[in-house]
Amino acid sequence: MVLVAVFGVALLIAVLLSGLAARTVLSTSLLFLVGGALVSDGFLGLIHITPDSEIVAVTADLALFAVLFTDGMHVSFPKLRANWKNPARALGLGMPLAFVGMALVTHYVAGLDWTTSFLVGAVLAPTDPVFASAIVGRKEVPSKLRQLLNVESGINDGLALPIVLVLIAAAGPTAGHAAADLPSIGLELALGLGFGIALPLAVNGLARLPLLGAEPKLQPLLPLATGVILYGACHLTHANPYLAAFSAGAVFTAVSPEAKAAFEPLGEVLAELAKFAALLVFGALLTPQLFGDLSFGGYVAVILAIVLIRPASLLLSLIGTRFDRRERLVAAWFGPKGFASVVYGLLVLQAGIPQGEEAYTLIAVCIAFSIIAHSSTDVPIARVFDVDDLAGIPDPADETPVPDPVKEGRGPTGSAPVDSGF
């Protein structure tokens, strides 16, 4: 119950500071991360959480599923078909370049063996623009840029997972049998995609039967019930839950726009709550000992991952596109490491591979640094696109604070509603 009380206090503080956070570099995400670290064994000792605690994996898994489900609902298939080349470049060229670049840096700078280095590269390849919601969620930002970041982040989690699993098998006690795992990994991905498509279609069909249908006040629960069933089905059958979540959200939007519109406010709040809970738990793992265990070379690798590898790989992948220089730089910078990397990093730690602890330490520190860097720079960079009144709340310094009721403001958590602008 201590953890519940701490979460409630952190949530209250986040809500009270959300207006200020929307106008400054103050980040509600960072607040939960720091809050978790302060109450952990490393400082106040109010809660006791270790990397092998079940709550760590569960909260990260739920948060990632919830975020991908709501992100998927912002996908428009007609617009995606018309503008698929940019996300395809980011996924087909930018992501492999980041994967290989991180592996090279991890091996030559941090000193890990080649298999573990490529494993670290695969874990840190997925991006999570939920921490850059001031960019992804603002209609003032060019829609093609929001589309690129949203689709890239929604799909690259599922693309990275089979590589992570194969490399864990290659580095661990079952080394040499990685190829044998490929059929099962492919089956997991196929099942996830199949569930993500079939279940929303089935639910939508049921809802349209003459004798069935949700009354207006309960309509937001229809997608929620679908998501809960999907989450349970994926874990019971070992289907990929992340690919299922993103595809289910996209299919729901395509077949039932009214259900999507009804669920959107509730879904955004639930995704934010799940994200903050996972950040609090992850923050509890960030003890002084964890940071002390990372070598100097590891810190160099972390810095390079954030400021060089991701930006350079995406900039290279966008050569020849119609993005202007400002849009390319913003897209290259906003590649934060998020909940997929947390989940995959825990898989590495729990696999018992020879250099698993060193790899996990590097991964955890990189995620923490990325959250700090990206969640603290979203608002200043959003202002590059002339985004005014980000919170929908007048600045106290303004003599005539008149909020614009037409503009969409950030929610109570201090982050803008995620809308890819499709």
Side-chain angles (χ1 to χ4, degrees):
M1 296 308 295
V2 174
L3 182 61
V4 175
V6 169
F7 178 73
V9 171
L11 185 60
L12 176 62
I13 295 173
V15 172
L16 294 176
L17 293 179
S18 60
L20 178 63
R23 294 190 301 268
T24 66
V25 296
L26 179 65
S27 165
T28 50
S29 296
L30 182 58
L31 174 65
F32 280 87
L33 193 72
V34 173
L38 288 176
V39 299
S40 69
D41 289 330
F43 294 94
L44 299 179
L46 298 179
I47 58 177
H48 310 282
I49 295 176
T50 60
D52 57 353
S53 298
E54 185 177 4
I55 190 173
V56 178
V58 170
T59 54
D61 187 50
L62 280 171
L64 180 59
F65 184 91
V67 168
L68 287 175
F69 187 70
T70 54
D71 276 359
M73 286 194 166
H74 298 283
V75 172
S76 169
F77 285 113
K79 291 186 178 181
L80 183 59
R81 284 194 297 268
N83 301 280
W84 60 270
K85 292 183 180 180
N86 293 330
R89 279 174 170 263
L91 293 167
L93 181 58
M95 185 179 175
L97 286 174
F99 166 53
V100 174
M102 190 65 212
L104 293 172
V105 168
T106 303
H107 178 72
Y108 287 111
V109 177
L112 299 184
D113 63 63
W114 276 115
T115 304
T116 308
S117 296
F118 276 103
L119 179 56
V120 171
V123 170
L124 294 177
T127 58
D128 187 353
V130 70
F131 295 113
S133 55
I135 298 296
V136 178
R138 298 302 304 186
K139 292 185 178 180
E140 295 88 341
V141 177
S143 61
K144 61 182 178 181
L145 177 56
R146 288 181 280 141
Q147 178 193 43
L148 169 67
L149 294 173
N150 198 34
V151 175
E152 178 198 14
S153 66
I155 297 177
N156 60 16
D157 303 316
L159 294 179
L161 181 59
I163 302 173
V164 170
L165 296 177
V166 169
L167 289 171
I168 286 176
T174 58
H177 300 283
D181 292 332
L182 288 175
S184 62
I185 293 171
L187 179 60
E188 291 176 6
L189 292 172
L191 282 175
L193 182 61
F195 285 159
I197 295 174
L199 188 57
L201 290 176
V203 170
N204 182 66
L206 288 173
R208 295 183 183 279
L209 291 176
L211 297 180
L212 300 178
E215 62 172 312
K217 70 176 182 180
L218 294 182
Q219 195 170 20
L221 299 183
L222 190 66
L224 178 62
T226 305
V228 172
I229 294 171
L230 184 65
Y231 183 81
C234 287
H235 283 275
L236 287 173
T237 60
H238 301 289
N240 186 299
Y242 313 130
L243 187 58
F246 189 79
S247 57
V251 170
F252 237 122
T253 297
V255 300
S256 182
E258 63 278 7
K260 179 256 186 183
F263 173 72
E264 192 168 25
L266 174 63
E268 296 295 346
V269 171
L270 291 176
E272 288 290 292
L273 286 174
K275 180 187 78 172
F276 288 150
L279 282 171
L280 186 74
V281 172
F282 178 65
L285 301 177
L286 303 179
T287 62
Q289 180 181 354
L290 177 76
F291 289 96
D293 288 342
L294 187 62
S295 64
F296 175 77
Y299 277 103
V300 174
V302 166
I303 299 300
L304 291 176
I306 296 172
V307 303
L308 176 63
I309 295 173
R310 155 69 186 191
S313 62
L314 198 68
L315 284 174
L316 288 172
S317 71
L318 295 179
I319 292 176
T321 64
R322 295 184 178 180
F323 286 106
D324 61 32
R325 180 173 177 271
R326 178 181 58 178
E327 293 166 348
R328 292 183 189 183
L329 290 175
V330 171
W333 168 245
F334 280 108
K337 317 305 173 188
F339 299 120
S341 296
V342 172
V343 175
Y344 300 164
L346 293 172
L347 292 177
V348 173
L349 181 66
Q350 296 162 3
I353 65 178
Q355 292 186 314
E357 291 187 7
E358 293 92 329
Y360 170 77
T361 301
L362 192 155
I363 291 166
V365 173
C366 187
I367 295 170
F369 277 31
S370 176
I371 292 173
I372 294 171
H374 293 103
S375 65
S376 301
T377 56
D378 55 358
V379 171
I381 295 183
R383 295 190 185 280
V384 172
F385 293 98
D386 297 323
V387 178
D388 298 321
D389 191 20
L390 288 174
I393 300 173
D395 193 322
D398 194 342
E399 293 183 0
T400 58
V402 181
D404 186 348
V406 177
K407 290 185 179 181
E408 292 182 4
R410 286 192 168 198
T413 58
S415 62
V418 179
D419 180 356
S420 64
F422 285 16

